[in-house]
Every structure is written in structure tokens, then in C-alpha cells.
Amino acid sequence: MKNLIIKNASQVVTCSGFAGKRGREMNDLHVIEGGTVVVTDGRISHVLRAGEPLPVDEAGYTVIDATGKALLPGFVDPHTHFVFGGYREEEFSWRMRGDSYMEIMNRGGGIVNTTKATREASEDELFEVGRRRLDAMLRLGITTVEGKSGYGLDRDTEMKQLRVMRRLNEAHPADIVSTFMGAHATPAEWKGREDAFIDFNIREMFPLVAKEGLAEFADIFCEKDVFTIEQSRRYLQAAREQGFKLKIHADEIVQFGGAELAGELHCASADHLLQASDAGIRAMADAGVVATLLPLTAFSLRETFARGREMIDAGCMVALATDLNPGSSFSASVPLLFALACIYMKLSPEEAVTAFTINSAAAIDRADRIGSIDVGKQGDLVLLQFPSYKFLPYHVGMNIVDTVIKQGEVVVKNGETKS
């Protein structure tokens, strides 16, 4: 049944809005104390204050008494690489002894290592590991997931990854938003011919992916020793001509001008941004680019965290994401994400909640339908074990999600996925 009433919540944290929030707006969560939310046919039909009478007959609804618990929108993870083969635990050990991300990548580790394993995995194998990862994310309250290709770097494997994501979107409770990232790295067979590899993606891959409707966004790793500003501009402009919305991995390792390029091209989001310049931050704020920050990655790489506080103060729309991937962030830990964002990136708890709900929905162009508790939106909701959203960063590293609701159906109860 997709008819649900969640009543007497200690807080209904609505995050209300149909577009992302910038700057100081990120602190306004529009909290209703003792509120009730009604979901009818999978969509939010009523948001009621304490004492307001129910406008529907309870007999036609599943009723949850949320006394002592906070209710939030389902979390939205707008940057992951969750469909991949193999693991890179050995590279983690190398990083712990001091090897840098780029040093590992330049000697055949990193993305290229995962590419080999992903090419060798069957579609069914990738589907099964992807399903298990989505189950784990759902238990953490993540109800919508962006997933990138980019571990094939050839025609067949890129298409395989994207088809797996389409199958998972059809089979799993979580919604999957797919991104084609054919320019994640240069594979061995194209080394020294990076411009030709960009041409291959533009001439062959974009039309193929677009024809099958396998991705909504296109993304590129714009970084020193990966793809240049000019290569990235050419790739993204061609992607837009093919109907893709634009994302960019920008300024992760060095200050490279990726944030400025994101502003120039009005990308939907620029992601990572550990080294973004002041000019890049202003460019994103002026162009309305969502600055998607990935604190789990900075933590795992022992890098300086992105300047989330400065970005918000400059009027940026800031989102958070886990960056779940096998190398630099083998984690989808929502509790750690919130703690790092508040403690090390200096976001307030309110800003962090906004960044992982309505703003992360904006980063994948879904703020009109998910990311807040507003009438007309999907009934995607998370009920916490505690009475306040402030427990999310405070109860460090602990999953405090009690119940997860997807389009009005309970899909996680007492922390366990329902079969």
C-alpha cells in the first residue's frame, strides 16, 4: 500500500522548497514540531501541524506513530560510482605509507585498476554487487542515488555499466539517476592520445548512450594529468549538444580552473572542489552551479577538506555526497558524512541537512520532485530513532535511521531492509 500516515513526529524537518537553497537560506529547515505527514498514492498529500485534524480516513492508510522521532526527506546522494568490479584494498595500504593518489594512478593503479576488473565482470555480477550496495545505502536513509559509469572506458563496458544501472532502477526501491562518465581516465590503449580519446567519446559514445536513453548527465575528470580545461570544455559542450546535462569533477587534486569552467558552462554541479579558487567559488555562485562536496573522499585521502563554509558564505548552493567508489571513498556512511561536514567543513547541522536533501536533489535536477517534505512530491521519507535532526552529526558514526519510506511504502524498518 502506498497510502501512509506518519503522525505525532517530534519534528517534521520539511526542508521545504522546489529548488536548491543558497547561502544563509541553507539554515532554514522549516521544522514543524509534533507534525503529521500524509502520503497518498505514493505522493505527499498533506503536511499538518500539531492539532490539525486528519483530512483523510485512517482506514485506508497504514499509520505510523512517530512519537519521539524526527521525520526528514529521504536522503539524496548526488555523486557515486557504485557499479564496479573488484576492490583496491592494497592501494589503501599504499596511501597509508605515504603514496599519493596521483602516484598510484600513474603507475597503473586507481581508476585503471578498477577498469580491468569491471571489464572482466559480467552484467549479472555487476547487478548483484550493485544491488547489495544499494541495500546498504537504503538502510542509511538514501532513497535516490546518482551513479556514474567510467570504469569501462571502452564502448562495451561503459554500456554494460549503464545498462546495469537501468536494471537496478527498475528492480530496486531506490531511484537511480545515471551519468555517463566516459572521460574518467585515459585507458592504457589510449595513453598519449588523450585528444583522440575525447573524440571517441564525442563521436561514438555520446550518440550511442543518447540513443538508448541510458544516461541523463555527462561528467568528466577535469584535473592535472587527467583531462585539461580545453579537453573538458570540448567534451562537455558536445555532451550538451547531444542532450545531456552537465557535471564536472573539478579541482580535486590541484587548483586547475575546473570550478571556473563549471560556471562558464552553467553545469548542473561541480564536484570535489577541494582546491577551488576564490574566483571559481564566485563563478559557481554567480552561475547557480551546485557545489557538491565529498568529505568522505578528503577524509580517506587525508587531504584538506573543501571550503564548504566559505562557499556557503559566498552564496553558493552546496550539496553533499558520499562518492562511494572502490578507491578514494569506499564508503556510503551517512553518519560519517554528516559528522565530517559539520566538524571539519564547518557547516551547521541545518546546512548539512539541506545539503543532503533539497540541495543534493538540485544537483541531479530533481528538486522539483524529491528532497523535501512538500505536497506533491514523492513520499520519500526517513524516520530517525531520535527526536531531532541534530543527532545526525552528534551521534558520530552511528546509523540512527529507524524507518525508510519510498513512495509511501516502508522499505526499511528497525534498520533492516524489508524483503
Side-chain angles (χ1 to χ4, degrees):
M1 179 184 289
K2 295 192 173 184
N3 293 342
L4 187 67
I5 297 169
I6 309 99
K7 64 181 183 180
N8 304 323
S10 61
Q11 294 178 334
V12 176
V13 185
T14 69
C15 304
S16 185
F18 290 81
K21 299 181 181 182
R22 302 185 187 199
R24 294 179 182 176
E25 295 176 347
M26 290 181 62
N27 277 296
D28 193 350
L29 296 180
H30 298 276
V31 176
I32 300 172
E33 306 286 343
T36 292
V37 174
V38 182
V39 180
T40 306
D41 294 329
R43 294 198 169 271
I44 297 166
S45 57
H46 304 85
V47 182
L48 307 173
R49 297 189 176 278
E52 287 191 85
L54 270 177
V56 297
D57 184 355
E58 283 191 12
Y61 289 76
T62 299
V63 180
I64 296 175
D65 186 349
T67 300
K69 299 174 181 178
L71 184 69
L72 290 85
F75 299 135
V76 179
D77 194 341
H79 182 129
T80 82
H81 304 257
F82 78 94
V83 175
F84 59 85
Y87 296 96
R88 295 186 351 227
E89 71 282 357
E90 189 63 36
E91 293 180 18
F92 181 85
S93 298
W94 295 344
R95 287 206 307 274
M96 293 308 99
R97 75 183 188 194
D99 296 2
S100 74
Y101 179 87
M102 293 307 295
E103 285 171 343
I104 293 169
M105 188 171 177
N106 288 335
R107 67 170 182 254
I111 294 165
V112 175
N113 187 349
T114 299
T115 296
K116 182 177 183 295
T118 306
R119 288 179 177 181
E120 292 172 352
S122 71
E123 185 171 315
D124 286 344
E125 288 170 338
L126 291 176
F127 177 88
E128 180 57 26
V129 296
R131 182 191 62 78
R132 291 200 300 266
R133 290 167 192 147
L134 288 174
D135 283 349
M137 296 172 87
L138 199 65
R139 290 192 292 270
L140 292 161
I142 298 170
T143 54
T144 299
V145 179
E146 185 262 12
K148 303 179 192 295
S149 69
Y151 288 136
L153 307 179
D154 62 10
R155 185 188 65 185
D156 291 345
T157 316
E158 288 292 308
M159 298 298 284
K160 178 172 64 176
Q161 280 190 276
L162 292 170
R163 287 176 183 137
V164 165
M165 283 187 267
R166 180 167 64 185
R167 285 177 58 192
L168 286 166
N169 187 48
E170 294 167 353
H172 197 275
D175 287 333
I176 315 301
V177 178
S178 295
T179 294
F180 172 63
M181 195 174 181
H184 196 190
T186 303
E189 61 268 29
W190 290 91
K191 277 294 182 186
R193 298 186 295 140
E194 284 76 12
D195 284 327
F197 183 62
I198 294 293
D199 290 338
F200 160 74
N201 278 284
I202 291 171
R203 294 172 185 171
E204 295 191 36
M205 294 306 300
F206 285 166
L208 191 59
V209 174
K211 181 180 178 181
E212 293 200 26
L214 287 173
E216 186 173 337
F217 290 87
D219 197 347
I220 187 169
F221 192 0
C222 178
E223 187 62 65
K224 185 177 183 290
D225 297 329
V226 188
F227 295 106
T228 67
I229 292 290
E230 184 48 46
Q231 288 165 342
S232 300
R233 180 185 289 110
R234 187 159 62 89
Y235 175 96
L236 291 171
Q237 287 176 332
R240 175 170 280 153
E241 291 171 3
Q242 289 282 345
F244 296 101
K245 300 167 190 174
L246 307 185
K247 289 179 168 288
I248 182 171
H249 281 50
D251 299 319
E252 178 183 5
I253 310 299
V254 300
Q255 194 172 107
F256 199 60
E260 289 90 332
L261 179 62
E264 173 193 329
L265 298 179
H266 291 264
C267 293
S269 74
D271 301 18
H272 284 291
L273 302 169
L274 277 64
Q275 306 297 332
S277 68
D278 291 344
I281 292 171
R282 287 194 300 272
M284 291 188 297
D286 291 345
V289 176
V290 180
T292 300
L293 309 183
L294 316 173
L296 293 172
T297 310
F299 177 73
S300 296
L301 295 176
R302 295 196 291 201
E303 295 286 349
T304 302
F305 287 85
R307 294 187 289 155
R309 174 78 272 135
E310 288 89 337
M311 292 177 191
I312 293 172
D313 291 344
C316 279
M317 191 185 308
V318 169
L320 292 170
T322 67
D323 193 22
L324 172 62
N325 74 77
S328 59
S329 178
F330 187 39
S331 176
S333 176
V334 172
L336 185 56
L337 177 80
F338 274 106
L340 294 175
C342 293
I343 297 169
Y344 290 103
M345 290 170 47
K346 302 179 182 179
L347 274 64
S348 68
E350 293 76 18
E351 290 166 339
V353 169
T354 295
F356 205 48
T357 54
I358 189 65
N359 280 10
S360 51
I364 52 171
D365 196 27
R366 292 287 194 282
D368 60 336
R369 67 196 90 166
I370 59 172
S372 68
I373 302 177
D374 282 303
V375 171
K377 288 197 173 184
Q378 282 184 193
D380 297 355
L381 304 163
V382 171
L383 196 61
L384 303 182
Q385 299 168 6
F386 293 98
S388 170
Y389 66 86
K390 292 179 181 177
F391 280 80
L392 285 163
Y394 162 60
H395 200 27
V396 177
M398 303 297 291
N399 184 17
I400 63 170
V401 169
D402 177 86
T403 302
V404 181
I405 296 151
K406 186 64 181 177
Q407 295 186 42
E409 293 189 290
V410 174
V411 291
V412 173
K413 181 64 177 174
N414 297 324
E416 294 297 324
T417 308
K418 297 191 75 173
S419 56

